[in-house]
Amino acid sequence: MPLYEFRCAADCGPFEWSFPMADVPGTTRCPRCDRDAVRRVSPPRLGHGSSSAMNLLDRTKRSAHEPDVVTGPPPSTTAGRSAVTSNPLHRRLPRP
Ligand SMILES: [Zn+2]
């Protein structure tokens, strides 16, 4: 059964409830305060974000509107110039 999103008339916030597609009510009871909650129209959750590809897409979309603040260069993963290459022939090259 698909999940449907409802919003409580009070300030309980949105919640999701599962109903058969043929019997979806327009309103239901809030599980917290037992008041009426109206069904909201929301986009379907295709893919549901558990894969790394979905996480990458979400992060890319979010960074377009909320870019991370960078205060400096990323930490260096190589230790000095010797880690640039491991080819022994490069040791013969002139050094600056
Ligand atoms: Zn409520």
Side-chain angles (χ1 to χ4, degrees):
M1 288 189 289
L3 287 173
Y4 293 94
E5 187 175 353
F6 292 88
R7 177 172 282 280
C8 177
D11 289 335
C12 298
F15 63 93
E16 293 178 334
W17 213 257
S18 180
F19 286 101
M21 290 179 86
D23 298 330
V24 183
T27 60
T28 188
R29 291 292 188 186
C30 174
R32 295 182 192 138
C33 68
D34 204 36
R35 290 185 179 176
D36 283 340
V38 181
R39 182 163 60 102
R40 299 177 67 193
V41 177
S42 59
R45 292 185 179 180
L46 301 176
H48 211 272
S50 60
S51 69
S52 59
M54 287 299 294
N55 288 337
L56 177 62
L57 287 174
D58 289 344
R59 204 171 34 210
T60 302
K61 286 179 187 174
R62 189 172 52 242
S63 70
H65 303 287
E66 303 167 15
D68 291 335
V69 176
V70 177
T71 58
S76 178
T77 56
T78 59
R81 297 184 133 247
S82 62
V84 172
T85 179
S86 60
N87 190 334
L89 296 176
H90 291 171
R91 290 185 204 139
R92 295 185 185 180
L93 292 174
R95 301 282 177 196

